[in-house]
Amino acid sequence: MGKYSIQIQGILATYMERVNCGGDYRLGLSKIKKHVIVCSTTLTLDSLIDFLNEFYGNPNLEVVLTICQMMWTRDVTAILRDSQTVIRGMRDFEQRSFTELNLLAGAVRGELPKLARATLCALITINVHARDIISEMVKKQVSELLSFDWQKQLRYYWNMEVDNCVVCMSIAVYTYGYEYLGACPRLVITPLTDRCYLCLMGALQLDLGGAPAGPAGTGKTETTKDLAKALAIWCVVFNCSDSLDYKMMGGFFSGLAQSGAWCCFDEFNRINIEVLSVIAQQLITIRNAKVAKLNRFMFEGREIKLVHTCAAFITMNPGYAGWTELPDNLQALFRPISMMVPDYGLIAEVILYSEGFESSRTLAKKMVQMYKLCSEQLSQQDHYDFGMRAVKSVLVMAGSLKRQNPDKPEDVVLIRALRDSNLPKFLFNDAKLFQAILSDLFPGVNIPEHDYGQLKDEIMNIQLEMKLQVVDTQVVKVIQFLETMIVRHGVMLVGPTVVERPQFTGF
């Protein structure tokens, strides 16, 4: 518990330093709340870009996303309340959404500070989903404020009665947390994400936790984290294992209850069944205190403070070896949601669009098709990964290359990102097949080889100094090793003990 308290104090100290609130955590919350109130009356789309450029060092960047969603909710609500012109009003609003999104996409292609660009990319990601919501409502001719097609959306209101921002989804109502999050990226919202949000918000309304379950790479943890960002709540992700005991978990739950933060316990079903039974009793104690609206309660033999925003979420992968079935009393504390394969095409399209690619839809389709063909036609290797994490890393690299080479054609930029990210990890025969797949999907596009100049000369000189033969394939692998280190957090060298052409994979 002492270690966790130090971590919480460190988090709060960093938070207070960033918002310059003089050492008072609650003062920091009120300062961000003040930004929300001020910006809600002054911020318009015409001033948004200037606003980002002027205040990119302040907590306002987080506030921009909240205010824009409040304005969107206000405008749609006003249209739905006018029963005489609701259909025409929704069509006009749909066109306005397209126009505003094009303006934001044009701005992200220009010169922007790093933090302002990050916020603008997050805003585009959210606005693309908002545009899709309006298009779907127009298609279904939604004309009532109480229609489920509108009520099931994540909606932001300023509640005048409590003088606070509230977030609604279906019958769930949650008070905005005002946690300082900075200019962090946001998750692309797909229909699967919407369904998971709806389940988790309903669980929070009942003082329960959420339990997304599904294979690896389907967005279980990221969706939970992104909902925390949407509600401005601090979310801690903890990776579970069979070495956890009830004392460690008790300290964790005690810290969560006193800080009001969320925690997402990843791979929760790897904990031993004996520990899970005790965890169920610990969570029941916290839930009973929340239901009773207590400010202090007895936990593990001592009285502690309770901040009612605290919540626990778990993710499970039934396919893992050694997984444990949850006890019935523990299952009753979580609402389950099944997470299946995400929509790769939609995710790739939105990320490319937010990174400034004009032909994002066409490029996304080709990219998804390329990964599909690679997974089917290339050999099966343990270090090959064609899942969502690999797709995301290529998209981020493509955005970086796009900003470095604004004059180059977009398909050339994407091909280079695909090649540089994937080619180092392929076996010799698979590399040839990969190049053939790229040529089929992007016919007639020539990718000039990058001139490494002095770097290549130095590699050859060092090989001669080490009394080694200069082999072209080894020189290429050294360069690929460097490029992989630049774009990845860590690098693994994979191959037999003696091999002419090693493979690299990053993580």
Side-chain angles (χ1 to χ4, degrees):
M1 178 58 200
K3 182 178 180 181
Y4 187 81
S5 299
I6 293 172
Q7 291 175 346
I8 289 292
Q9 291 172 8
I11 292 168
L12 296 185
T14 305
Y15 170 86
M16 290 182 287
E17 179 183 351
R18 289 183 178 178
V19 300
N20 191 24
C21 60
D24 188 342
Y25 170 63
R26 289 296 165 191
L27 182 60
L29 294 181
S30 64
K31 186 167 184 178
I32 292 186
K33 183 176 179 180
K34 183 182 74 174
H35 281 304
V36 171
I37 296 172
V38 172
C39 294
S40 63
T41 59
T42 60
L43 185 62
T44 64
L45 185 70
D46 296 335
S47 64
L48 178 60
I49 308 304
D50 296 333
F51 180 86
L52 289 171
N53 281 322
E54 184 177 355
F55 293 105
Y56 66 86
N58 290 0
N60 297 53
L61 291 179
E62 172 194 338
V63 171
V64 166
L65 302 180
T66 306
I67 296 302
C68 287
Q69 291 175 95
M70 285 174 60
M71 292 166 62
W72 177 80
T73 305
R74 178 200 63 194
D75 294 344
V76 177
T77 302
I79 294 171
L80 292 174
R81 279 182 176 154
D82 187 358
S83 58
Q84 301 296 324
T85 60
V86 60
I87 300 299
R88 188 176 73 248
M90 290 297 289
R91 286 175 181 162
D92 293 342
F93 191 75
E94 181 185 20
Q95 293 303 315
R96 195 179 102 188
S97 299
F98 278 103
T99 304
E100 291 178 352
L101 201 53
N102 289 335
L103 287 174
L104 293 174
V108 82
R109 298 183 192 111
E111 292 294 328
L112 286 173
K114 183 178 180 180
L115 291 179
R117 180 180 298 280
T119 300
L120 205 53
C121 287
L123 187 59
I124 290 173
T125 302
I126 292 172
N127 278 18
V128 166
H129 180 59
R131 177 203 65 190
D132 293 341
I133 291 172
I134 299 301
S135 297
E136 187 67 19
M137 291 174 68
V138 169
K139 182 180 178 181
K140 293 183 177 181
Q141 295 190 342
V142 175
S143 58
E144 295 182 2
L145 197 60
L146 296 179
S147 171
F148 185 68
D149 288 294
W150 171 242
Q151 292 294 317
K152 71 178 182 179
Q153 308 301 337
L154 201 64
R155 311 181 312 281
Y156 290 71
Y157 300 95
W158 186 266
N159 191 319
M160 301 302 293
E161 295 180 2
V162 296
D163 194 31
N164 211 339
C165 176
V166 294
V167 185
C168 303
M169 196 172 199
S170 186
I171 61 171
V173 180
Y174 200 92
T175 304
Y176 191 76
Y178 301 103
E179 178 70 40
Y180 178 77
L181 301 172
C184 53
R186 294 297 297 273
L187 198 66
V188 175
I189 303 174
T190 65
L192 177 64
T193 314
D194 270 330
R195 289 194 295 273
C196 188
Y197 280 179
L198 193 60
C199 176
L200 297 183
M201 286 290 285
L204 291 170
Q205 185 72 9
L206 300 172
D207 290 318
L208 298 172
T218 52
K220 302 184 295 294
T221 306
E222 290 301 322
T223 302
T224 304
K225 287 167 56 181
D226 197 69
L227 182 60
K229 292 177 185 178
L231 302 177
I233 299 291
W234 181 255
C235 182
V236 181
V237 177
F238 188 77
N239 213 277
C240 299
S241 69
D242 55 6
S243 62
L244 290 176
D245 58 28
Y246 74 94
K247 291 183 179 180
M248 187 182 299
M249 297 301 291
F252 215 119
F253 291 137
S254 176
L256 285 179
Q258 295 178 81
S259 65
W262 287 8
C263 185
C264 179
F265 294 97
D266 227 2
E267 311 301 343
F268 191 71
N269 54 344
R270 295 170 68 182
I271 302 175
N272 290 329
I273 185 67
E274 298 83 1
V275 180
L276 290 176
S277 299
V278 182
I279 288 174
Q281 294 303 316
Q282 294 170 334
L283 288 173
I284 288 172
T285 303
I286 296 175
R287 182 175 185 267
N288 290 341
K290 291 175 68 176
V291 171
K293 308 295 182 187
L294 301 178
N295 292 322
R296 300 188 69 83
F297 73 109
M298 293 298 296
F299 184 80
E300 298 285 291
R302 65 193 185 94
E303 186 179 76
I304 61 173
K305 180 181 69 172
L306 175 63
V307 180
H308 286 263
T309 55
C310 68
F313 300 86
I314 63 176
T315 71
M316 296 180 292
N317 186 346
Y320 272 0
W323 68 282
T324 308
E325 188 73 32
L326 299 187
D328 291 343
N329 61 341
L330 188 56
Q331 287 185 24
L333 298 175
F334 296 95
R335 290 188 69 177
I337 174 74
S338 177
M339 301 287 285
M340 302 311 293
V341 180
D343 188 342
Y344 285 27
L346 177 60
I347 295 171
E349 178 186 345
V350 174
I351 293 179
L352 286 174
Y353 190 71
S354 67
E355 293 286 355
F357 284 78
E358 295 181 26
S359 53
S360 58
R361 178 164 298 181
T362 304
L363 294 176
K365 287 180 180 178
K366 290 186 176 184
M367 180 177 173
V368 172
Q369 185 64 22
M370 189 215 74
Y371 273 101
K372 183 173 180 291
L373 291 172
C374 287
S375 63
E376 293 173 351
Q377 298 183 17
L378 269 57
S379 63
Q380 299 297 315
Q381 303 293 329
D382 291 337
H383 65 280
Y384 284 6
D385 179 20
F386 302 114
M388 193 63 243
R389 292 183 177 91
V391 172
K392 182 73 186 328
S393 65
V394 171
L395 295 171
V396 172
M397 181 189 288
S400 176
L401 291 174
K402 170 75 173 174
R403 289 187 290 276
Q404 295 172 11
N405 307 277
D407 54 329
K408 288 190 176 180
E410 292 182 346
D411 51 357
V412 172
V413 172
L414 181 61
I415 291 174
R416 184 178 168 192
L418 288 167
R419 185 188 64 185
D420 292 352
S421 179
N422 290 289
L423 205 55
K425 65 185 178 185
F426 289 144
L427 301 180
F428 181 70
N429 292 331
D430 287 339
K432 288 184 176 180
L433 189 53
F434 174 75
Q435 295 279 27
I437 292 173
L438 276 182
S439 301
D440 290 341
L441 290 173
F442 298 90
V445 180
N446 289 323
I447 308 298
E449 289 295 330
H450 190 69
D451 183 14
Y452 292 97
Q454 188 176 357
L455 173 63
K456 188 174 182 179
D457 294 338
E458 287 299 321
I459 292 172
M460 296 170 68
N461 290 336
I462 290 173
Q463 285 180 321
L464 293 173
E465 289 177 8
M466 297 175 67
K467 301 188 184 324
L468 298 174
Q469 288 185 341
V470 177
V471 182
D472 291 340
T473 52
Q474 188 181 30
V475 173
V476 170
K477 282 297 174 183
V478 172
I479 294 172
Q480 288 178 349
F481 187 29
L482 174 63
E483 290 181 336
T484 307
M485 290 175 63
I486 293 172
V487 299
R488 298 286 191 171
H489 294 295
V491 183
M492 294 185 292
L493 276 70
V494 182
T497 306
V498 180
V499 63
E500 183 182 352
R501 301 182 181 90
Q503 287 77 47
F504 302 106
T505 183
F507 55 92

